[in-house]
């Protein structure tokens, strides 16, 4: 006879032992709760549940950081998440994070919520903070972002700060005892943060709102959605990453009631920094064809091993698109659909467009590790097939790297070949080099004709160049206005440059603002100069210094524009 009671007791004991061996949290910890490990760590703070009478609630701020946490986790960035925190909770979270981040080489701080500037520092708003306070109590009631960065970032670590908060002119916090009528400073929109090695990325421009959703009903902000979407593209150096995120936010919010929203960034860093490192793609032993005289008839471009347009993964990228689109944005779009390894394989198989794209990628370290020799090899192969974009890119590469007389002659031949094939970007490049005398005495007649041909195809830089010729100025200003009205910030930028050159800046000062917020270095310099001199706007030394600093942080700022900023904000 079986003793069922005893058997049941034994089974219960065994089950208890087994269950006791399994921790109560057998499920993986929620994102942001696991112990921090690794050289890259992040502190994500989202405050949503404001009470709607002292502070407007932000439905999506916590959703934003949860979404970002998951994306960071996939990218190998260990995160700590703080949700709807009051001041004591924030202080405890900073203490814990400081200890966990002690050995980190890179620290990211991401904040979504309300914020403001006061006393030369920037402050985030905890859940228990009042909408009004006295000067002496600001530090007790709100958390200084600068102090938080100084507290949690180890010495020498790269600092990256994301701030998703409104920066409108209406006071977020009222300083009750500030006598603004007699010169005391009140609170202001979030301003520039002072950090060492690193960068700051704001979701919106100074004076502008940060939308909590786009489109209507979205569970996350347009900034968070773009941050995560573009993070899926490996190998974007942080400057390129900022650019494509900004374009994505602008696109998501263009046409909305409070849009478009224009993120912007600034900072200082010496070495390339990647949120997602570029893949290491071994080089294949593929021979480079010998340089072919440009007078020879080029062979028809081969599209590699594809079996017709339907089989070509790059069939949607036309020469017309290549000829006018900004390369980092185009490359980011391609990489969002095709891994870098696939593009390299296509290039190795003889695809001339893939060879041109991969050559550009290796040249600048976009999507792959920078490799000048491989860049040159792929561009040589693309050019040898008579592919105009490859010819133009190779010509540009030759002129950018301390060219010999032979390099200059070959670059000229490449530009001419690509231009004769109708490639607008090559026409613009060739026209510019003819203007400045790279290939001999300046030839303004020929350069104007080339600019006109490129402008007809819609190349924005060519349209701008034609504004310098009296007989084509008015028509091309109108073209730039059409581009701007269609939502292309490059149109605003070239309008700013054109009116500045013609000393009619007041007619385009709003364009300068749009382009400066979109990150165009020249427009930032011109806007700084305008605020410093009172041309087109009321003179404002603080605004001048603000835009001068942002302009100086961009390496593409031209020498003449750096000279324009001399003495401003220094």
């Amino acid at each position: 006879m079986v003793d069922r009671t005893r058997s049941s007791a034994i089974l219960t004991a065994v089950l208890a032992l087994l269950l006791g061996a399994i921790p109560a949290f057998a499920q993986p910890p929620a994102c942001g709760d696991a112990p921090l490990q690794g050289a890259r760590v992040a502190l994500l703070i989202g405050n949503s549940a404001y009470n709607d009478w002292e502070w407007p609630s932000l439905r999506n701020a916590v959703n934003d950081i949860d979404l970002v946490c998951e994306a960071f986790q996939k990218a190998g960035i260990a995160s700590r998440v703080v949700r709807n925190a009051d001041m004591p909770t924030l202080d405890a979270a900073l203490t814990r994070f400081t200890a966990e981040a002690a050995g980190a080489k890179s620290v990211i701080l991401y904040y979504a919520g309300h914020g403001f500037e006061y006393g030369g520092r920037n402050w985030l708003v905890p859940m228990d903070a009042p909408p009004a306070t006295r000067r002496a109590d600001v530090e007790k009631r709100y958390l200084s972002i600068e102090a938080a960065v100084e507290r949690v970032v180890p010495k020498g670590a790269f600092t990256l700060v994301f701030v998703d908060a409104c920066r409108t002119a209406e006071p977020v916090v009222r300083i009750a005892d500030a006598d603004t009528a007699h010169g005391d400073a009140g609170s202001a929109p979030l301003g520039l943060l002072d950090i060492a090695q690193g960068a700051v990325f704001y979701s919106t421009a100074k004076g502008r709102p940060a939308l909590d959703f786009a489109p209507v009903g979205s569970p996350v902000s347009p900034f968070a959605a773009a941050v995560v979407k573009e993070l899926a593209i490996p190998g974007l150096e942080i400057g390129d990453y900022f650019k494509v995120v900004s374009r994505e936010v602008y696109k998501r919010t263009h046409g909305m009631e409070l849009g478009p929203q224009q993120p912007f960034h600034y900072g200082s860093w010496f070495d390339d920094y990647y949120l997602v490192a570029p893949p290491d793609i071994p080089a294949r032993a593929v021979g480079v064809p010998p340089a072919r005289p440009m007078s020879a008839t080029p062979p028809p471009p081969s599209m590699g091993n594809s079996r017709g347009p339907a089989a070509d993964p790059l069939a949607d990228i036309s020469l017309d698109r290549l000829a006018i689109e900004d390369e980092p944005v185009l490359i980011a779009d391609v990489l969002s659909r095709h891994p870098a390894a696939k593009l390299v394989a296509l290039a190795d198989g003889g695809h001339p467009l893939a060879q041109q794209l991969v050559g550009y990628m290796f040249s600048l370290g976009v999507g792959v590790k920078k490799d000048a020799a491989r860049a040159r090899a792929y561009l040589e192969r693309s050019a040898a097939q008579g592919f105009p974009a490859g010819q133009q890119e190779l010509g540009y590469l030759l002129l950018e790297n301390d060219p010999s007389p032979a390099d200059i002659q070959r670059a000229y031949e490449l530009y001419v070949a690509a231009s004769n094939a109708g490639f607008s970007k090559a026409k613009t490049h060739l026209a510019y080099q003819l203007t400045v005398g790279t290939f001999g005495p300046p030839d303004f007649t020929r350069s104007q004709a080339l600019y006109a041909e490129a402008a007809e195809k819609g190349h924005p830089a060519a349209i701008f160049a034609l504004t310098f010729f009296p007989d084509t100025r008015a028509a091309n200003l109108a073209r730039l206005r059409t581009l701007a009205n269609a939502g292309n910030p490059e149109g605003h930028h070239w309008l700013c440059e054109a009116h500045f050159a013609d000393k009619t800046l007041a007619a385009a000062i709003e364009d300068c603002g749009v382009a400066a917020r979109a990150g165009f270095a020249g427009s930032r310099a011109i806007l700084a100069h305008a605020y410093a001199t009172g041309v087109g706007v009321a003179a404002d030394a603080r605004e001048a210094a603000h835009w001068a600093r942002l302009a100086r942080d961009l390496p593409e700022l031209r020498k003449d524009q750096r000279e324009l900023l001399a003495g401003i904000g220094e």
Side-chain angles (χ1 to χ4, degrees):
M1 180 178 179
V2 178
D3 186 345
R4 297 183 184 276
T5 303
R6 185 177 178 188
S7 298
S8 177
I10 293 171
L11 179 60
T12 300
V14 170
L15 286 173
L17 286 171
L18 289 173
L19 291 173
I22 301 175
F25 48 89
Q27 294 296 321
C31 189
D33 293 340
L36 296 189
Q37 296 177 342
R40 302 191 302 162
V41 296
L43 177 62
L44 315 180
I45 302 171
N47 284 345
S48 281
Y50 296 102
N51 58 24
D52 258 339
W53 59 279
E54 289 182 318
W55 304 98
S57 63
L58 301 171
R59 183 186 64 188
N60 289 340
V62 164
N63 296 344
D64 292 347
I65 61 166
D66 286 340
L67 180 70
V68 170
C69 184
E70 292 174 3
F72 279 3
Q73 186 171 273
K74 290 177 183 176
I77 302 168
S79 300
R80 174 73 59 231
V81 170
V82 183
R83 304 173 181 86
N84 293 324
D86 57 18
M87 192 66 171
T89 303
L90 281 171
D91 185 66
L94 289 174
T95 298
R96 179 185 180 188
F97 185 81
T98 301
E100 292 179 312
K105 303 297 183 186
S106 172
V107 176
I108 301 169
L109 176 64
Y110 189 112
Y111 174 63
H114 291 302
F116 65 99
E117 181 186 38
Y118 175 72
R121 301 167 80 187
N122 293 278
W123 309 83
L124 60 81
V125 178
M127 301 308 300
D128 59 345
T133 191
R134 300 179 67 81
R135 290 177 295 180
D137 292 333
V138 170
E139 199 158 351
K140 301 174 188 175
R141 303 287 193 177
Y142 314 94
L143 178 63
S144 162
I145 301 176
E146 287 91 343
V149 168
E150 185 175 344
R151 185 170 167 184
V152 304
V153 179
K155 185 176 181 180
F158 185 91
T159 305
L160 181 55
V161 181
F162 292 81
V163 181
D164 193 358
C166 285
R167 305 181 69 209
T168 47
E170 298 81 8
V172 172
V173 169
R174 186 171 62 86
I175 310 300
D177 57 345
D179 188 358
T180 54
H182 292 85
D184 283 357
S187 67
L190 283 161
L192 300 184
L193 296 172
D194 234 346
I195 60 172
Q197 269 288 296
V200 181
F201 196 19
Y202 285 100
S203 67
T204 192
K206 189 175 182 181
R208 301 288 298 165
L211 302 180
D212 194 37
F213 54 81
V216 174
S218 169
V220 295
S221 76
F223 184 66
V227 163
V228 168
K229 176 178 180 287
E230 307 304 345
L231 197 66
I233 303 172
L236 289 181
E237 202 279 327
I238 195 67
D240 291 325
Y241 175 75
F242 289 152
K243 179 179 284 190
V244 297
V245 169
S246 297
R247 292 289 180 95
E248 178 68 17
V249 173
Y250 189 90
K251 183 173 69 176
R252 286 172 180 262
T253 57
H254 189 261
M256 293 190 69
E257 183 180 353
L258 296 176
Q261 183 173 323
Q262 291 183 276
F264 81 97
H265 72 277
Y266 68 95
S268 175
W269 62 98
F270 305 120
D271 299 318
D272 288 346
Y273 178 85
Y274 299 89
L275 284 169
V276 182
D280 189 4
I281 305 174
R284 282 180 54 189
V286 180
V288 178
R292 175 181 49 79
M294 291 295 110
S295 57
T297 302
S302 162
M303 300 313 281
N305 297 321
S306 61
R307 293 170 294 177
D312 181 3
L314 301 179
D316 61 323
I317 302 176
S318 66
L319 270 176
D320 285 344
R321 182 182 175 191
L322 277 173
I324 63 173
E325 192 160 349
D326 194 18
E327 281 91 347
V329 176
L330 186 144
I331 294 290
D333 173 56
V334 173
L335 288 173
S336 71
R337 296 179 288 119
H338 307 294
K342 180 178 180 180
L343 294 176
V344 171
L346 281 170
D348 288 340
H351 196 299
L353 170 56
Q355 290 165 348
Q356 185 263 333
L357 294 175
V358 168
Y360 177 89
M361 289 160 58
F362 277 114
S363 175
L364 296 180
V366 179
V368 293
K369 293 179 181 177
K370 192 179 295 185
D371 189 326
R374 291 181 74 177
R376 173 75 178 265
Y378 282 114
L379 292 176
E380 289 280 7
R381 294 175 63 205
S382 181
Q385 295 197 62
F387 190 62
Q391 292 170 328
Q392 183 266 319
E393 198 68 51
L394 179 57
Y396 178 82
L397 186 71
L398 290 170
L399 292 181
E400 284 294 296
N401 292 277
D402 193 20
S404 66
D407 290 333
I408 294 173
Q409 177 61 30
R410 185 155 181 243
Y412 172 74
E413 293 173 349
L414 288 162
Y415 277 150
V416 168
S419 177
N420 288 345
F423 193 59
S424 301
K425 196 172 289 184
K427 291 178 185 289
T428 301
H429 278 254
L430 177 57
Y432 173 76
Q433 301 298 347
L434 290 171
T435 300
V436 299
T438 301
F439 303 128
D443 187 340
F444 297 105
T445 301
R446 187 179 174 195
S447 69
Q448 184 178 7
L450 287 165
Y451 279 134
E453 292 169 9
E456 283 298 323
K457 293 287 189 177
H459 194 217
I463 298 172
F464 161 69
L466 289 174
T467 65
F468 284 88
F469 298 92
D471 57 327
T472 56
R473 177 175 173 76
N476 286 285
L477 286 174
R479 280 176 167 171
L480 292 174
R481 178 59 62 200
T482 299
L483 277 178
N485 290 345
N488 186 342
E490 193 172 355
H492 293 285
H493 167 63
W494 291 124
L495 281 166
C496 178
E497 291 253 20
H499 281 284
F500 177 75
D502 199 45
K503 295 182 171 54
T504 55
L505 187 59
I509 198 67
E510 292 300 321
D511 295 293
C512 293
V514 172
R517 293 191 292 270
F520 287 91
S523 289
R524 288 182 173 182
I526 292 169
L527 193 60
H529 182 73
Y531 276 114
T533 58
V535 175
V537 290
D540 187 325
R542 289 187 64 184
E543 283 294 303
H546 171 88
W547 290 110
R549 176 179 175 183
L550 292 175
R552 289 189 185 102
D553 281 339
L554 297 178
E556 63 267 29
L557 189 67
R558 298 197 310 263
K559 181 182 177 184
D560 63 305
Q561 292 167 337
R562 289 192 183 276
E563 292 170 351
L564 186 69
L565 298 177
I568 301 177
E570 293 180 322

